[in-house]
Amino acid sequence: MEASLKDRLESIHQRIDLAAKAANRSSDEIELVVVTKNHGFELALELLGLGENQFGENRDQEAAAKAQQLAQALSPGQLAPTWHFVGQLQTNKVKSMLTYSSVLHSLDRASLLNELAKHLAKTPERALDVFIELNLTDDPNRGGIEPKTLSAFTEQVLAVPQLRLLGVMGVAGLDVDPAVDFERILNSSQQVQTLSSSAKYISAGMSGDFEQAIGYGATHLRIGTAITGKR
Ligand SMILES: *Cc1c(COP(=O)(O)O)cnc(C)c1O
């Protein structure tokens, strides 16, 4: 019989605890973001019932609809979800993303930063948590900030008062040893922390590599299919 959502979730939590222990870390400092993309709001509702409330999405249209449906399905007093946007975001979707998302993991280019600053300036009470997404490849055309521009870009992010820089984010390559990428992410994190000591968080680790990511200091795991099942 196929494992239930609850079983898969429990198994992931056990693996996080073990990997944290192996890395001499406390699992309390590791946040699980369940990537709910490709699944309906019902799955997110079920996850809320199981005690998870940090959800990740990578397409604005899908995320906006789901966030609204879930908000309507909540019972009074029920734990409210926090939405994390983890995918590449078109600048014309910034306004929509800001309506439901609290954390953007994929701040990957200057044009997106400028658009965020522009929209946030219209709502002075609004703040957004962000991670700078790194380009871990040698191809400058891939998304993400390259190591040589990381410090300059970090300064630009820090100059926008309504953005709270949490740290760096990376997606380890499939065709290379993830450890190489996780080490790069860790180095980049240290570079960013010299500019902002509070930007100490690392968004890294997915279904296939989260245990390794924990060994390299990941604080925000973005785990989809290992919990939600394939779609
Ligand atoms: C889909 C996605 C994930 C989750 O991937 P899984 O392999 O299903 O765990 C994590 N991060 C990003 C940016 C994604 O798009």
Side-chain angles (χ1 to χ4, degrees), residues 35 37 58 86-87 133 169 171 205-208 222-226 228:
V35 179
K37 69 185 185 198
N58 73 337
V86 303
E133 181 172 354
M169 175 274 212
V171 178
M206 302 169 37
S207 290
R222 309 178 311 270
I223 303 181
T225 47
T228 64

Side-chain angles (χ1 to χ4, degrees), residues 98 123 156 167 221:
L98 285 170
T123 48
Q156 285 179 284
L221 312 175

Side-chain angles (χ1 to χ4, degrees), residues 74-91:
L74 290 183
S75 330
Q78 191 173 4
L79 185 69
T82 296
W83 293 97
H84 297 245
F85 199 89
V86 303
Q88 190 163 49
L89 184 66
Q90 292 172 265
T91 47

Side-chain angles (χ1 to χ4, degrees), residues 43-52 55 78-79:
L43 181 114
L45 190 60
E46 202 179 336
L47 285 163
L48 279 176
L50 295 169
E52 299 299 327
F55 302 137
Q78 191 173 4
L79 185 69

